[in-house]
Amino acid sequence: MLQKSLTTHADTIIYDLEDSVAPSEKDKSAARERLSSFLLSTRPSELPRSARIAVRLNDITTPFFERDLVAAVRGIFVPVLPKVHSVDYLARVASVIGSYGGGPPDGPIELVISVESARSLWNVGSLAGWRDSGNKIAASALLFAAEDYCADTSIVRTFTRQELLYTRSQIVVAAKAFGLEAIDMVCVNYKDTAYLREECEDGRRLGFTGKQAIHPAQVDIIHETFVPTEKEIYRAAKIVHQMEQTHASERGAVGLDLDDGKDGKEMIDAPMLKQAENTLRTARAAGLRIPEF
């Protein structure tokens, strides 16, 4: 299974030391040692695309937490922290890393914070904005663990996802406020590609920047749906072009013809220009074609 992970083209691979490992394996440290040996012995050229490796640790209440964290930092892998209820958890993380003295030499240690309880959502703003006193450790992403969250809050999951709208929106807002990535929940219906696409499109509309995959077959659809569509790119490029002309003529807004052949115009001004520029920035990062006018 570890070797098979090298064949995926997901942006980040999360190796799980928590729920995917039997208690007996945790007691023997076998899973941790096997993972560390595998990753450290694999040539960089063979690692997943962009060499982004993350490790989901056991939570802070377990006897395995500290050893998991030290192993992740030693390998310079991104720790994914489960069951983070408050900044006290993050202070403990900083204490363990500080006593070990590890981490990358050229930047802060990045943490992925998993939001999976009522307390973590209540404190999500302070979690997103947390940094250690030496600015050597900081959150880089908020990740929504929907099933754990529902188990903690007694929320009943439905096909519509309506019951999670508030929670997901809060996570996105907190992430955006502090410049973090916002990673949406797993789609557990991994064989239903139509539903996966619908859930991805819904997450992108809410502002999520990515989504967890529970199966390799989900990766392509996630990649396809978390980038702007051809129509969105065309509209964004048109807005940027027309606003350049508008500013050159010393005006601040312009009327843009509605799409789909509808009559009328929509007013384009500075906020909509910023949205268009964001769309084009994402498209360029994904290597998509930008039309010229």
Side-chain angles (χ1 to χ4, degrees):
M1 184 63 72
L2 289 175
Q3 191 64 39
K4 188 176 180 180
S5 70
L6 300 181
T7 64
T8 182
H9 55 283
D11 296 310
T12 301
I13 305 296
I14 301 178
Y15 293 99
D16 186 19
L17 294 177
E18 190 195 24
D19 295 339
S20 299
V21 179
S24 59
E25 290 287 292
K26 296 180 184 181
D27 288 334
K28 295 184 293 186
S29 301
R32 184 188 315 107
E33 292 173 4
R34 187 160 56 245
L35 176 61
S36 295
S37 176
F38 169 74
L39 292 175
L40 293 173
S41 64
T42 301
R43 291 181 298 179
S45 61
E46 295 177 346
L47 289 173
R49 184 163 62 91
S50 75
R52 289 302 302 274
I53 306 296
V55 179
R56 183 179 180 90
L57 315 182
N58 286 283
D59 78 84
I60 200 169
T61 65
T62 71
F64 319 111
F65 161 74
E66 188 166 326
R67 285 173 285 171
D68 288 350
L69 179 59
V70 170
V73 174
R74 179 185 295 126
I76 318 183
F77 309 131
V78 177
V80 179
L81 307 177
K83 299 176 177 62
V84 183
H85 304 308
S86 72
V87 294
D88 293 340
Y89 185 129
L90 302 177
R92 172 75 186 284
V93 169
S95 176
V96 171
I97 293 175
S99 64
Y100 166 69
D106 55 351
I109 296 172
E110 297 183 342
L111 307 175
V112 174
I113 296 174
S114 184
V115 177
E116 50 189 87
S117 69
R119 283 184 62 201
S120 61
L121 185 69
W122 186 261
N123 294 316
V124 70
S126 59
L127 295 174
W130 179 88
R131 293 182 75 93
D132 76 306
S133 57
N135 287 328
K136 295 181 179 179
I137 310 169
S140 63
L142 297 179
L143 178 149
F144 182 37
E147 305 311 319
D148 293 278
Y149 180 79
C150 289
D152 184 70
T153 58
S154 300
I155 286 175
V156 178
R157 290 281 273 117
T158 70
F159 193 78
T160 68
R161 303 172 301 278
Q162 182 179 1
E163 67 283 351
L164 295 175
L165 176 60
Y166 171 80
T167 301
R168 294 164 74 210
S169 297
Q170 286 287 93
I171 291 170
V172 168
V173 170
K176 300 292 183 177
F178 293 97
L180 310 186
E181 300 292 331
I183 310 302
D184 202 8
M185 59 192 181
V186 164
C187 179
V188 294
N189 299 344
Y190 68 93
K191 290 190 175 182
D192 188 340
T193 56
Y195 182 73
L196 170 62
R197 187 175 296 277
E198 176 189 323
E199 196 171 278
C200 288
E201 291 170 349
D202 176 44
R204 181 171 170 252
R205 283 193 297 268
L206 288 176
F208 282 98
T209 53
K211 187 175 183 67
Q212 302 164 76
I214 200 172
H215 190 280
Q218 294 181 319
V219 172
D220 285 342
I221 291 178
I222 292 173
H223 279 168
E224 291 169 10
T225 48
F226 274 88
V227 295
T229 65
E230 185 176 339
K231 182 178 179 181
E232 290 169 341
I233 296 170
Y234 179 84
R235 179 176 182 273
K238 188 175 181 180
I239 288 173
V240 170
H241 172 69
Q242 291 204 7
M243 284 299 287
E244 287 174 350
Q245 293 183 323
T246 300
H247 289 164
S249 62
E250 299 183 351
R251 290 181 294 136
V254 66
L256 187 73
D257 290 334
L258 295 175
D259 294 330
D260 301 325
K262 297 178 182 177
D263 294 331
K265 292 180 180 290
E266 60 177 327
M267 186 59 66
I268 305 297
D269 56 8
M272 298 183 77
L273 173 61
K274 184 177 180 180
Q275 294 175 34
E277 290 171 339
N278 289 341
T279 296
L280 297 184
R281 189 178 303 111
T282 301
R284 290 190 185 97
L288 302 177
R289 190 182 71 84
I290 311 295
E292 296 182 1
F293 290 89

